[in-house]
């Protein structure tokens, strides 16, 4: 399953797919974290899409940002 770590906030209607990890991040409503993705120490705006196997670390992403599969930020 997915892992939601300490100091994380998940907004309304967010989807966290199997194997995804969120640590110390804020995800506003409607965002989707893809399978096996990692979001750490970051702020995600509304309706952000993080592709499968992507890594987002210490980033601030605006509303409706899309991060491609296997990306590294």
């Amino acid at each position: 399953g997915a892992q939601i770590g300490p100091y994380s906030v998940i907004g309304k209607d967010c989807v966290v797919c199997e194997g995804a990890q969120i640590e110390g991040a804020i995800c506003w409503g409607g965002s989707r974290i893809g399978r096996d993705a990692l979001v750490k120490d970051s702020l995600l705006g509304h309706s952000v899409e993080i592709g499968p196997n992507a890594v987002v670390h210490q980033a601030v992403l605006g509303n409706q940002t899309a991060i491609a599969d296997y990306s590294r930020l």
Side-chain angles (χ1 to χ4, degrees):
Q3 296 180 354
I4 310 297
Y7 310 110
S8 297
V9 178
I10 307 300
K12 182 179 178 181
D13 297 326
C14 284
V15 175
V16 181
C17 296
E18 185 173 341
Q21 298 177 40
I22 300 175
E23 301 174 15
I26 297 172
C27 301
W28 284 95
S31 293
R32 179 181 178 85
I33 312 302
R35 185 181 188 99
D36 297 319
L38 170 62
V39 177
K40 186 171 182 177
D41 302 326
S42 297
L43 173 60
L44 308 184
H46 293 277
S47 302
V48 170
E49 297 276 337
I50 306 296
N53 296 290
V55 175
V56 176
H57 184 239
Q58 295 182 338
V60 177
L61 304 178
N63 295 346
Q64 300 179 342
T65 299
I67 304 300
D69 303 2
Y70 297 93
S71 294
R72 301 290 182 256
L73 297 181

